[in-house]
Amino acid sequence: MTAAIEMVDVLDEPKAIEGRRPFSLAVRRLRKDKVAMVSLVVIVLIVLMAVLAPVFAAVTGHPPNEQYRDIGLTPDGLPRGPNGTFWLGTDDLGRDILVRIAYGARISLLVGVLATAITVVIGVVLGLAAGFLGGITDTVLARLIDVVLSVPFLLVAIALVSVTGPSLTVTVLVIGCFSWASVARIVRGQVLSLREREFVEAARSLGAGDRRIMFVDVLPNVIAPVIVYTTLLIPVVIVTQATLSFLGLGLPPPTPDWGGMISESQNYYTTAWWFILFPGLALLVTTLAFNLFGDGVRDAFDPRADRT
Amino acid sequence: MAMFLIRRIGHGILVLWLISVAVFALFFVAPSNVAQTLAGRQGTPETIALIKHRLGLDLPVWQQYLHFLGNAVKGNLGYDYYHQVPVTHIIGQALPITVSLALGAAVLWLALGVFNGVISATHPRSLADRGLTLFALFFYSFPSFLLGLLLLYFLYFRLTLSGFGWFPAGGYAPLTGGIGPWFQHLLLPWVALALLLAATYTRLTRGSMLDVLGEDYIRTARSKGIRESRVVVVHGLRSALTPVVTQFGIDLGQLIGGVVVIETVFSLPGLGQTAVVAINQQDLPVIIGIVLFASAAVVVSNILVDIGYAVLDPRVRLH
Amino acid sequence: MTDVLLKVDDVRKEFPTHSKEVVQAVAGVSLEVHKGETLGLVGETGCGKSSLARCMAHLYDVTSGSVWFEGQEISKLSRKAMRPLRRDVQVIFQDPYGSLNPRRRVGSIIGDPFAIHNIASGNERKKKVQELMELVGLNPEHYNRFPAEFSGGQRQRIGVARALALRPKLVICDEPVSALDVSIQAQIINLLSDLQREFDLTYVFISHDLSVVRHVSDRIAVMYLGKIVELAPTAELFGQTRHPYTRALLSALPVADPDTADSREQIILGGDIPSATNPPSGCRFHTRCPKARLDCAAEEPVLEPVLDDKPGHRTACFYPLTVGEDLSTAVPDLKAS
Ligand SMILES: Nc1ncnc2c1ncn2[C@@H]1O[C@H](COP(=O)(O)OP(=O)(O)OP(=O)(O)O)[C@@H](O)[C@H]1O
Ligand code: SF4
Ligand SMILES: [Mg+2]
């Protein structure tokens, strides 16, 4: 180089700029969202209830599947309402509804988390591949996404479960294998624009291969929409699981789960309101908490609708 | 435009064909004991073989599929195992019920969603905005069966107990028997479905309305002294409704095969419930027919939405 | 005379457009980059500088022609075969915002070359990265920060550190300072020239700003609509300007500059830059050239020494300027006689 410009080499070094870290603004916004924070507390309580389900059984002295046909049922064989022994009443077989709700939380949350995890992993990987690799991969995956999104999910899920017989694994797999397509579509759309960004080319100029670019460079940039979608997907999955149970395709009895309990209560709702009320409330509070929290997460990441 | 249409329809047909293969493979590969059931407890192996032969179940799966496909192209989806009724006939009987349910609910949820969305958008962050959003999310969070059961409990059971037998316990009354009973039987399912779906529309309307109201031409309209309500309704709403209409098209398509639970809870023999019955009886032709029909509804509605888009925005056609 | 490090031979790069036409971003460029030198590449925006740079680094597949690095043809290598060569040829990108992944920490961005080529990992990598950060004037303690937490100049230093991590032989700097404030531009340019001395680097230095290129380059290539129109050692390009387009670029430089005293005339180019989808016939500059004649539109001039120039000074023009010729009074004459 000839004649370099004379200039003092000053290290211009501003302080780290607040809120410039990925997500820090979003997290700050979320913290300030009271509704979302209350929902988060509720979610934590439900998780605690699921984890501590055996404690419920120990304190009341009622195992979840124990049928108290003597003290748990009226002389006519009907469920007993809430009382000192059975705090939330009993079901048609004289089982303790409170304890069963606590154990049922395990199923709902387990399915919710597992199926969502499968959904997100498949969706992200296929969406990344379709968007980034393009060409024939994209064509095939795009059609596959169309197929999955066009199939009447619940009908096929019911049909599948009725063929294979109900179990936790089947429920999780069926939900996971049918829900990934929306995630894949979102991710694909993002990746299509991300792959044109200069930092992808920079990675290529360093010698990075497709796989590394996809997972190291592109993936971190699709995390925000995936987080938003995931929080909103969990309640949908929980409802789907409960719906399958309600239709008699949940877990084989006597495993307690909320959808199944509500289904069993149908014939008693004229005589035993607590039988449907408490499991229904548990389910509703759970999905509502997740939805409100998810809504807060969405607003925190995309505050567009909150300007003015 | 013609090219766009052809390509889009081509994709749709491809997708339907893939679905037919997948569904066929899945259900035919799974072990079936329909012949056993039909033959009854005393069925000898010979009768079972005979039944299998009559239903074509003794052929290799791929031959069964080709047979099915050949007929399907001609508009024949096969016959149900139990009464040999054409599947198209079964669908034809169930479809009006599902469509009545979907369209009636659509009127309600559109009215509710758009109205709430507009109120929310014109009073952002106000108490009304928060209240309506919460209201929408509350019902959105409901499992449909729970909402259905609750409506039945309060509006059928409690009301009837109190001497107001306005609502039936469920079931369907065809339009041919008069509009009154039809309306009465569908009102609760409509309300349930509308409450479940309104949230999406509230949110969509609110979002796009907020966007539109921030645009220059709205400001201009305001500065010209046009009344605020006129600005909102005439200038704002019209352009804000595009995403709502899109979502509406997609939802309607999905509802054809997607109102299983509401139909079950309210004992409406629509497509969903018919399919569930068929599933319980392993009546494969009916299951496949309904699944394919419902998929076709989704595919067609998506194409219509895309065409609508392409007409409005020519850039879409390029992709 | 000197060793050729990189050779570009009649390279063309075309991009398809939606309407079945093609954009000729690079339309037949040949040049050589010598070991240890800085070759400047100037031209207006959209003339194909970045496309040419990407062809040189084999980030694009060339449409035709070839690129040779140290005597090996690289323009047709597969991605995999190109990998080891990536250590020797590095790129510093134009946009300090777009070229750094916003979701990754600076330490891991600068450590990328080590990770990709399996050179160092764990603490060793961290140590190397921090050395690099120090080398380019960044605080090594900012290892865990994200790009958004740095200023534009600091980000370009990150880009420099990443490009130099593997001690490349050739660094293609694609407008490394265009996006920066003038004061910061000088810092980055100083940094680059210090590093060149220290590590014996060869640079291809791209800019649309002739005054920047002039300060750093040993030789300068002037590009117009996908073609090199003049290529000369820096002093000659300024002292013995041959191509009317080069002269026009020079005349736009600040007048206070003593070296351009003889071209104080202001040459305003008429017309817009023609489209690269449908370039003008013959000499691509003829639609705007003050000296254009009828044959300029008919035939294409070859890039070769003109008048009494040495072989190192090549010009693509039928009517090259003589020293002292006044271009501001020239009038194009494209009418048939
Ligand atoms: N990926 C691409 N696809 C289509 N056209 C492209 C692409 N990249 C560049 N072009 C076109 O090729 C021509 C040259 O672009 P290029 O980026 O190489 O110019 P440049 O000299 O680097 O410009 P700038 O100074 O703006 O960076 C332009 O007309 C541009 O629109
Ligand atoms: S060849 Fe003709 S048109 Fe082209 S630069 Fe020279 S004089 Fe101008
Ligand atoms: Mg460029």
Side-chain angles (χ1 to χ4, degrees):
Chain A
M1 288 208 181
T2 53
I5 301 166
E6 288 312 315
M7 254 283 185
V8 199
D9 224 301
V10 215
L11 279 182
D12 53 325
E13 195 178 285
K15 284 213 193 76
I17 304 149
E18 278 285 305
R20 284 287 188 85
R21 306 202 144 211
F23 305 153
S24 70
L25 263 182
V27 170
R28 200 139 20 109
R29 268 191 229 111
L30 190 60
R31 284 231 185 101
K32 272 196 265 171
D33 186 338
K34 286 195 207 90
V35 177
M37 285 300 107
V38 171
S39 317
L40 187 60
V41 170
V42 173
I43 292 172
V44 169
L45 289 178
I46 294 164
V47 172
L48 276 180
M49 176 166 84
V51 173
L52 299 178
V55 175
F56 282 73
V59 169
T60 57
H62 304 146
N65 296 328
E66 185 73 31
Q67 304 180 359
Y68 296 94
R69 289 182 180 272
D70 38 2
I71 53 168
L73 293 176
T74 61
D76 316 336
L78 289 175
R80 271 192 198 277
N83 59 51
T85 331
F86 301 98
W87 299 347
L88 299 185
T90 60
D91 68 7
D92 54 336
L93 297 176
R95 296 174 295 194
D96 188 323
I97 288 184
L98 173 64
V99 177
R100 286 179 71 77
I101 286 179
Y103 274 91
R106 300 184 146 197
I107 304 294
S108 283
L109 293 179
L110 195 64
V111 173
V113 169
L114 286 183
T116 305
I118 292 183
T119 301
V120 169
V121 169
I122 301 181
V124 166
V125 170
L126 294 189
L128 266 179
F132 188 78
L133 299 178
I136 181 83
T137 318
D138 186 30
T139 312
V140 171
L141 287 177
R143 274 328 120 227
L144 192 61
I145 291 173
D146 282 350
V147 167
V148 175
L149 288 179
S150 305
V151 159
F153 160 61
L154 201 55
L155 277 186
V156 175
I158 295 168
L160 276 180
V161 177
S162 77
V163 167
T164 56
S167 74
L168 190 70
T169 326
V170 169
T171 308
V172 167
L173 283 182
V174 164
I175 297 177
C177 291
F178 277 97
S179 313
W180 62 267
S182 348
V183 181
R185 192 149 74 165
I186 295 170
V187 171
R188 174 176 176 270
Q190 299 269 323
V191 173
L192 279 180
S193 72
L194 280 169
R195 72 169 182 190
E196 305 297 332
R197 296 272 292 273
E198 213 168 36
F199 64 78
V200 169
E201 194 155 36
R204 191 143 273 154
S205 81
L206 295 168
D210 279 342
R211 214 171 332 140
R212 185 182 164 88
I213 297 181
M214 262 160 54
F215 290 101
V216 177
D217 289 296
V218 177
L219 182 59
N221 286 282
V222 297
I223 283 184
V226 170
I227 288 178
V228 172
Y229 193 82
T230 306
T231 50
L232 290 167
L233 186 64
I234 291 178
V236 174
V237 170
I238 291 179
V239 167
T240 308
Q241 189 271 331
T243 303
L244 285 175
S245 294
F246 175 78
L247 294 172
L249 299 163
L251 300 179
T255 317
D257 88 285
W258 297 344
M261 292 170 80
I262 295 168
S263 173
E264 289 156 11
S265 78
Q266 274 184 101
N267 297 329
Y268 296 87
Y269 73 86
T270 52
T271 46
W273 53 268
W274 57 90
F275 192 2
I276 182 167
L277 180 72
F278 294 119
L281 215 53
L283 185 52
L284 182 60
V285 167
T286 306
T287 55
L288 191 59
F290 272 106
N291 272 324
L292 287 173
F293 182 67
D295 206 48
V297 172
R298 170 157 59 183
D299 283 344
F301 276 95
D302 173 25
R304 206 170 42 101
D306 268 346
R307 55 166 182 228
T308 54
Chain B
M1 187 68 196
M3 268 316 289
F4 167 78
L5 257 181
I6 291 170
R7 205 175 45 214
R8 201 62 196 71
I9 291 172
H11 280 170
I13 292 174
L14 177 67
V15 165
L16 281 182
W17 175 71
L18 287 172
I19 291 176
S20 79
V21 174
V23 173
F24 210 86
L26 233 51
F27 295 145
F28 271 89
V29 167
S32 150
N33 48 10
V34 179
Q36 176 80 60
T37 317
L38 280 177
R41 230 176 261 280
Q42 271 90 46
T44 58
E46 289 76 40
T47 19
I48 293 178
L50 196 71
I51 292 171
K52 276 197 166 167
H53 180 71
R54 214 188 46 207
L55 296 178
L57 290 174
D58 53 345
L59 297 172
V61 172
W62 64 271
Q63 274 187 26
Q64 292 184 43
Y65 176 70
L66 286 186
H67 186 69
F68 166 81
L69 192 65
N71 284 334
V73 171
K74 285 181 248 154
N76 176 357
L77 291 172
Y79 306 87
D80 89 299
Y81 282 163
Y82 294 85
H83 309 100
Q84 302 297 312
V85 181
V87 172
T88 43
H89 183 76
I90 293 178
I91 293 178
Q93 285 205 315
L95 186 62
I97 299 168
T98 301
V99 169
S100 305
L101 177 55
L103 284 182
V107 173
L108 286 180
W109 89 59
L110 273 180
L112 195 64
V114 172
F115 181 76
N116 288 354
V118 170
I119 299 288
S120 281
T122 46
H123 305 83
R125 324 226 86 206
S126 68
L127 206 63
D129 179 17
R130 283 154 189 270
L132 288 174
T133 307
L134 206 67
F135 169 85
L137 265 179
F138 177 72
F139 284 106
Y140 174 78
S141 300
F142 253 102
S144 45
F145 59 90
L146 194 56
L147 184 59
L149 289 178
L150 276 187
L151 288 181
L152 276 181
Y153 179 74
F154 285 109
L155 295 182
Y156 155 68
F157 177 64
R158 296 310 292 239
L159 271 187
T160 309
L161 269 191
S162 328
F164 302 99
W166 294 336
F167 300 104
Y172 179 70
L175 253 182
T176 45
I179 199 157
W182 175 79
F183 191 82
Q184 224 179 10
H185 279 84
L186 281 171
L187 194 54
L188 288 187
W190 282 342
V191 170
L193 200 52
L195 286 175
L196 289 165
L197 280 161
T200 316
Y201 290 81
T202 305
R203 172 140 203 130
L204 264 180
T205 312
R206 179 181 186 271
S208 70
M209 195 73 185
L210 273 176
D211 281 349
V212 171
L213 289 181
E215 304 233 356
D216 285 342
Y217 71 98
I218 293 287
R219 295 222 186 88
T220 317
R222 272 189 190 141
S223 67
K224 279 194 201 143
I226 301 175
R227 242 186 318 124
E228 181 67 21
S229 58
R230 206 182 140 74
V231 171
V232 170
V233 175
V234 176
H235 297 267
L237 197 55
R238 202 187 300 162
S239 31
L241 277 183
T242 317
V244 174
V245 172
T246 309
Q247 183 69 32
F248 183 68
I250 292 169
D251 277 350
L252 268 193
Q254 302 221 313
L255 279 184
I256 295 301
V259 280
V260 183
V261 178
I262 292 288
E263 285 182 0
T264 309
V265 170
F266 290 98
S267 326
L268 293 169
L271 279 175
Q273 209 204 19
T274 309
V276 170
V277 171
I279 288 169
N280 290 334
Q281 301 181 332
Q282 293 189 22
D283 200 343
L284 289 173
V286 180
I287 303 174
I288 292 174
I290 293 182
V291 166
L292 270 184
F293 183 81
S295 308
V298 173
V299 168
V300 170
S301 67
N302 284 355
I303 292 178
L304 290 179
V305 165
D306 280 1
I307 291 175
Y309 246 66
V311 168
L312 293 175
D313 183 356
R315 274 172 310 169
V316 180
R317 274 175 248 162
L318 296 173
H319 241 66
Chain C
M1 37 176 212
T2 25
D3 293 347
V4 173
L5 188 62
L6 183 90
K7 189 172 143 213
V8 175
D9 188 16
D10 197 24
V11 161
R12 283 167 202 279
K13 177 67 196 172
E14 295 171 351
F15 295 104
T17 63
H18 283 308
S19 49
K20 282 185 188 144
E21 290 173 312
V22 290
V23 179
Q24 294 187 17
V26 181
V29 166
S30 301
L31 51 78
E32 290 169 355
V33 184
H34 301 148
K35 215 164 255 176
E37 77 166 343
T38 298
L39 173 71
L41 184 63
V42 276
E44 287 163 291
T45 177
C47 72
K49 304 180 298 291
S50 295
S51 305
L52 177 58
R54 288 179 161 94
C55 289
M56 285 177 172
H58 192 25
L59 289 173
Y60 284 168
D61 289 323
V62 297
T63 306
S64 71
S66 55
V67 179
W68 302 69
F69 180 77
E70 290 191 317
Q72 181 188 3
E73 182 177 354
I74 61 171
S75 44
K76 293 185 182 66
L77 289 182
S78 68
R79 258 187 210 158
K80 206 163 154 216
M82 186 64 200
R83 249 180 82 145
L85 283 158
R86 297 260 174 239
R87 299 181 57 167
D88 293 333
V89 183
Q90 275 300 314
V91 183
I92 296 173
F93 291 90
Q94 178 168 358
D95 178 3
Y97 295 84
S99 58
L100 301 180
N101 194 329
R103 292 278 187 244
R104 294 182 57 200
R105 292 170 197 277
V106 166
S108 98
I109 292 177
I110 302 178
D112 248 2
F114 301 118
I116 291 166
H117 294 276
N118 290 323
I119 290 174
S121 59
N123 275 337
E124 195 193 345
R125 187 191 302 167
K126 182 166 179 180
K127 210 176 119 242
K128 282 185 183 250
V129 169
Q130 291 187 325
E131 279 168 16
L132 274 167
M133 290 177 77
E134 215 150 9
L135 182 71
V136 300
L138 290 166
N139 184 345
E141 279 164 24
H142 296 168
Y143 185 87
N144 275 326
R145 289 195 176 178
F146 288 91
E149 297 175 90
F150 293 86
S151 67
Q154 287 176 319
R155 288 192 214 192
Q156 205 51 298
R157 288 176 196 265
I158 297 168
V160 172
R162 173 172 64 181
L164 292 189
L166 301 177
R167 300 285 130 82
K169 295 176 180 156
L170 175 68
V171 180
I172 298 169
C173 314
D174 185 1
E175 310 216 32
V177 297
S178 304
L180 307 177
D181 290 347
V182 180
S183 59
I184 315 250
Q185 288 191 357
Q187 294 175 20
I188 298 295
I189 289 175
N190 283 347
L191 172 68
L192 286 172
S193 65
D194 289 347
L195 292 168
Q196 182 172 41
R197 233 173 291 127
E198 192 168 343
F199 299 115
D200 212 7
L201 298 170
T202 304
Y203 285 150
V204 172
F205 192 100
I206 299 175
S207 177
H208 60 262
D209 182 349
L210 195 50
S211 61
V212 170
V213 175
R214 168 185 204 180
H215 280 291
V216 300
S217 307
D218 300 307
R219 294 190 303 139
I220 295 178
V222 180
M223 204 168 172
Y224 183 78
L225 266 187
K227 285 190 162 291
I228 305 288
V229 295
E230 188 166 5
L231 173 63
T234 306
E236 255 183 71
L237 190 86
F238 282 78
Q240 272 168 249
T241 311
R242 295 300 187 202
H243 201 282
Y245 179 62
T246 313
R247 176 70 72 81
L249 287 182
L250 288 180
S251 78
L253 288 180
V255 201
D257 209 314
D259 289 353
T260 47
D262 58 73
S263 52
R264 203 161 290 159
E265 18 124 56
Q266 199 51 27
I267 301 156
I268 315 283
L269 292 177
D272 294 328
I273 308 176
S275 103
T277 28
N278 199 359
S281 60
C283 173
R284 296 184 165 210
F285 188 49
H286 84 254
T287 53
R288 300 165 79 200
C289 178
K291 288 190 76 174
R293 296 289 174 269
L294 196 57
D295 47 336
C296 297
E299 225 180 305
E300 208 176 321
V302 180
L303 186 68
E304 59 191 3
V306 292
L307 305 177
D308 53 354
D309 286 339
K310 290 191 280 302
H313 186 171
R314 288 178 281 165
T315 311
C317 177
F318 295 125
Y319 306 102
L321 297 165
T322 52
V323 178
E325 183 179 335
D326 185 2
L327 192 57
S328 57
T329 54
V331 210
D333 177 13
L334 288 163
K335 284 191 291 284
S337 49

